[in-house]
Amino acid sequence: MALTHNLGFPRIGTRRELKFALEDYWKPKTTADDLLNTAKHLRQQNWQTQADLDYAPVGDFSLYDHVLDMSFTLGHLPERVQGLKGSELDHYFRVARGRSPADCGCGIAAGEMTKWFDTNYHYIVPEVSEDTAFSLNNQRLLDQIAEARSAGVSPKPVIIGPVTYLWLCKAREGDDRLQLLERLLPVYGQLLDQLADLGVDWVQVDEPVLVTELDADWKAALETAYHALKGSRSKLLLTTYFGTLAENLQQACNLPVAGLHIDAVRGKQDVQAVVDWLPPHKVLSLGVIDGRNIWKTDLNGLLEWLTPVHDKLGDRLWLAPSCSLIHVPVDLALESDLDPEIRSWLAFATQKLDELRVLKSALNEGTDAVAGPLADNARAIASRRASGRVNNPDIRQQVQAITPELGQRKSPYSIRANKQAQHLKLPRYPTTTIGSFPQTTDIRKSRLAYRKQEISREHYVTTMKTEIERAIREQEKLGLDVLVHGEAERNDMVEYFGEQLEGYIFTRFGWVQSYGSRCVKPPILYGDIHRPGPMTVEWIAYARSLTDKPLKGMLTGPVTILNWSFVRDDQPRRDTAFQLALAIRQEVLDLEAAGVNIIQIDEAALREGLPLRRSQWQDYLDWAIDAFRITANGVKDTTQIHTHMCYSEFNDIIEDIARMDADVITIETSRSAMELLDVFEAFRYPNEIGPGVYDIHSPNIPSRDQIVSLMSKAAERVPAERLWVNPDCGLKTRQWEEVIPALENMVAAARELREAAG
Ligand SMILES: Nc1nc2c(c(=O)[nH]1)N[C@@H](CNc1ccc(C(=O)N[C@@H](CCC(=O)N[C@@H](CCC(=O)N[C@@H](CCC(=O)O)C(=O)O)C(=O)O)C(=O)O)cc1)CN2
Ligand SMILES: [Zn+2]
């Protein structure tokens, strides 16, 4: 008898109930009780959806971030929030956002955010130093176990394992993370004791570090940790996901735990070896349903492959999605407007659990028991494979015809830089922004009204143009040097392009959490990509017509579009990237022809798309950088190409960043006090750089002195004549009331720096 379980369910709600509850609480429009009630209701709903699984996850729900929750569970908060007044909830949001409703405006630095492995989910990085201490604070998990039981599910608490937890931490100086293991393990021991006291059968202990290349210290830490925890009276399910175990396979099989979960989608090649190696008393959970994509599983094909594994393992076989389902939208049932043919190819979180049920019945009772669902599934899989809408021979031909010259600029950077300087006549320390200005409620309401056909296209266009004009006038007033149109017309920097490219469809409610209350609706790339016409020119040319100042046109690059979409799994990602590159290249050339001589091509997701294993980095970087170059490098010497990346560390890939050959790159640096620039200095990065001078994710306003001090640090590392002054990232999540004073200070800081430089 195979069992089924789930690793985690989306917590945002089918209609983003959690997002709205959080934002109302922060305003503050509602009370903590209101927020906690919504959260409780969402957990109940999620358990209902998962009630017939043999085990449902508990503790996967989070008000903001599950890593931050784990930090609280371990009594591990940054020093700067310790001792402040307020409830635990106040503390929680202080760490997450730099303030809580109780703080009346006086903020502290928010915890740093970074990407969760290779996903578009961002977690709050736990901060450690040699003084870090831990103490158990397990009430959240204990309460939720009780809640889950009264909801009628069999709870399987989910925690981040001690080694992965430390791996996610950042040490302020040096790297002494592993020295903390000894202090951390007793707290995990107590935690597991408390769960066992509640009669918990299984605990899911996430150790996704096992899919990365680990050096000897980290491998030893895994041994130490699981030998220390082996007395646990609850059984431990050591849980890995997002890739193959590869050289860690034997260790993963042999750690002293009761079961192992592996990603049987990305790590399918590991399965046979794991079945052979796993000691006979252990459970093997196979993550056979893709938790990172929205395509239906080929259940018939899978069953053929699974049946012998089931014959061998019997009761020891568990089935699950490959990873937590927080990376996919909640429920396809809401998508009544989707093209019915393509819709029949899709499965969201709720449907993925249905797939698990079918698999379980087929294995335990025989395929006849689920003949209907299996036949439906076979039809959907066949329909997608045979559909004439997926492949377009012309586009395949154009990709075939790509030559290296397509990615080559006419002259080297030094020549271009001179021509651009003559043309643009920018001052030293030029100021600019990253593209978006506040996405106000009015903008969003107007877009909603347009979508519902309550207002005409004309009306919508006029409203957006008014917003663009507002952004231009505000920038002129602020005295910024290079203006942007502000991106009012874009719902999102990726979805907007998906909506306009053929080969894509998009959803109404396909929300996926990106961080905290912020969600994205990744568009679905199902077929060959074609650009029917210009996508941004009307808006940017309008902005161009409004001002005499230099204006920067704004596009999203092919790699970022790829990494933040749900993409086809029937061709290599590289091929899809090149198709996107050809489409965006056309847009770049159209913008240039419309008189836009500064063009930014955002590649915010280029770095996060790096494979989790270093051995696969170069292959990815080779095609990803080529795709960027194809997009960017068809322009004249006098056209200045910018690119932007957020939360990026460049130490290991600086050569590739340089190979992009953008005239200007803007990056995130403010939270790391310009340390990120060390590598640009060491490498003697030749082109211009705009190191972000303030963190846009926090509502706090940076002071002029802070900015001057950060830029002075930058000027120690990079020659001043190659420095730009700009925020970390786009300003769309901020309010105008926050943006204006912040940018005033930024412009004042740039003036001070110019004067000081003489
Ligand atoms: N794809 C992507 N990934 C990214 C980023 C990014 O910008 N895009 N940035 C980084 C950080 N991540 C972020 C992710 C999302 C948001 C964000 O602001 N998301 C918005 C939604 C953006 C959106 O799609 N807006 C739509 C829909 C807006 C909406 O909610 N409309 C309401 C009605 C309007 C209202 O009453 O407010 C509705 O449909 O019900 C629009 O503008 O049209 C949000 O969560 O609030 C910001 C940063 C990394 N990853
Ligand atoms: Zn950014």
Side-chain angles (χ1 to χ4, degrees), residues 16 19-20 23 113 115 120 122 439-441 443-445 447-448 451 488 490-495 508 511 514-515 517-522 564 604 608 646-647 697 729 732-733:
R16 292 182 295 163
K19 170 194 175 63
F20 299 115
E23 291 174 2
M113 253 194 327
K115 279 164 247 270
N120 193 8
H122 305 69
Q439 279 278 330
T440 59
T441 314
I443 295 179
R444 291 195 162 144
K445 282 206 171 123
R447 191 153 34 246
L448 184 65
R451 200 181 59 222
R490 300 186 189 173
N491 45 5
D492 173 71
M493 60 188 285
V494 168
E495 194 183 9
R508 277 278 332 261
W511 295 103
S514 180
Y515 70 89
S517 70
R518 295 286 169 175
C519 300
V520 294
K521 210 148 36 73
W564 288 349
E608 85 182 20
C646 22
Y647 328 107
H697 294 97
C729 189
K732 64 183 168 192
T733 61

Side-chain angles (χ1 to χ4, degrees), residues 83-269:
L84 293 180
K85 67 175 178 7
S87 65
E88 181 162 301
L89 200 63
D90 288 328
H91 280 315
Y92 184 80
F93 290 128
R94 265 182 209 127
V95 185
R97 313 178 60 239
R99 61 171 66 182
S100 74
D103 291 340
C104 36
C106 48
I108 52 156
E112 184 174 332
M113 253 194 327
T114 200
K115 279 164 247 270
W116 176 246
F117 296 86
D118 61 349
T119 74
N120 193 8
Y121 177 80
H122 305 69
Y123 69 92
I124 303 285
V125 181
E127 298 165 30
V128 293
S129 67
E130 53 188 37
D131 304 327
T132 295
F134 304 100
S135 68
L136 185 64
N137 172 13
N138 206 14
Q139 206 53 47
R140 172 186 58 93
L141 206 50
L142 301 181
D143 289 348
Q144 291 183 18
I145 290 167
E147 252 180 42
R149 283 189 171 140
S150 52
V153 305
S154 226
K156 178 197 52 174
V158 181
I159 58 175
I160 296 173
V163 179
T164 293
Y165 183 77
L166 287 179
W167 191 85
L168 297 170
C169 290
K170 190 169 161 188
R172 221 177 300 143
E173 273 154 28
D175 181 3
D176 45 11
R177 287 172 295 171
L178 278 179
Q179 314 221 324
L180 297 170
L181 187 63
E182 215 176 300
R183 270 178 241 168
L184 184 58
L185 289 175
V187 179
Y188 270 85
Q190 288 162 20
L191 190 166
L192 292 172
D193 275 346
Q194 291 188 355
L195 297 181
D197 289 343
L198 281 187
V200 162
D201 201 6
W202 282 92
V203 182
Q204 174 184 323
V205 188
D206 287 3
E207 289 287 10
V209 286
L210 276 160
V211 307
T212 67
E213 284 144 348
L214 295 171
D215 63 26
D217 287 353
W218 288 91
K219 284 177 85 81
L222 282 160
E223 294 298 326
T224 309
Y226 288 91
H227 279 92
L229 300 177
K230 100 181 143 190
S232 162
R233 284 166 287 133
S234 300
K235 287 174 271 192
L236 306 188
L237 182 71
L238 183 74
T239 301
T240 69
Y241 38 80
F242 299 151
T244 60
L245 294 170
E247 76 285 353
N248 299 326
L249 189 142
Q250 288 196 19
Q251 185 179 22
C253 287
N254 290 326
L255 286 170
V257 291
L260 174 67
H261 170 89
I262 65 171
D263 184 329
V265 177
R266 293 189 175 182
K268 191 171 178 190
Q269 65 266 44

Side-chain angles (χ1 to χ4, degrees), residues 240-243 261-271 285-290 302 305-306 319-323:
T240 69
Y241 38 80
F242 299 151
H261 170 89
I262 65 171
D263 184 329
V265 177
R266 293 189 175 182
K268 191 171 178 190
Q269 65 266 44
D270 287 346
V271 173
S285 164
L286 291 182
V288 289
I289 308 285
D290 192 350
L302 181 59
W305 174 80
L306 264 181
L319 299 175
S322 57
C323 58

Side-chain angles (χ1 to χ4, degrees), residues 434 436 493 564 600 602-605 644-647 666-668 696-697 727-730 732:
I434 305 302
S436 56
M493 60 188 285
W564 288 349
Q600 178 172 313
D602 289 324
E603 282 294 16
H644 161 74
M645 297 185 190
C646 22
Y647 328 107
T666 57
I667 57 174
E668 187 268 0
I696 60 88
H697 294 97
D728 255 6
C729 189
K732 64 183 168 192

Side-chain angles (χ1 to χ4, degrees), residues 613-646:
R613 288 179 177 278
R614 264 169 190 261
S615 54
Q616 293 157 11
W617 279 17
Q618 205 52 53
D619 174 59
Y620 164 80
L621 286 167
D622 286 348
W623 61 253
I625 305 292
D626 280 350
F628 179 84
R629 293 177 59 111
I630 290 165
T631 307
N633 289 355
V635 295
K636 297 184 281 199
D637 283 350
T638 45
T639 298
Q640 187 172 65
I641 295 288
H642 290 220
T643 189
H644 161 74
M645 297 185 190
C646 22

Side-chain angles (χ1 to χ4, degrees), residues 422-436:
Q422 282 169 25
H423 226 71
L424 295 170
K425 301 200 169 44
L426 294 169
R428 186 165 275 209
Y429 292 108
T431 53
T432 191
T433 59
I434 305 302
S436 56

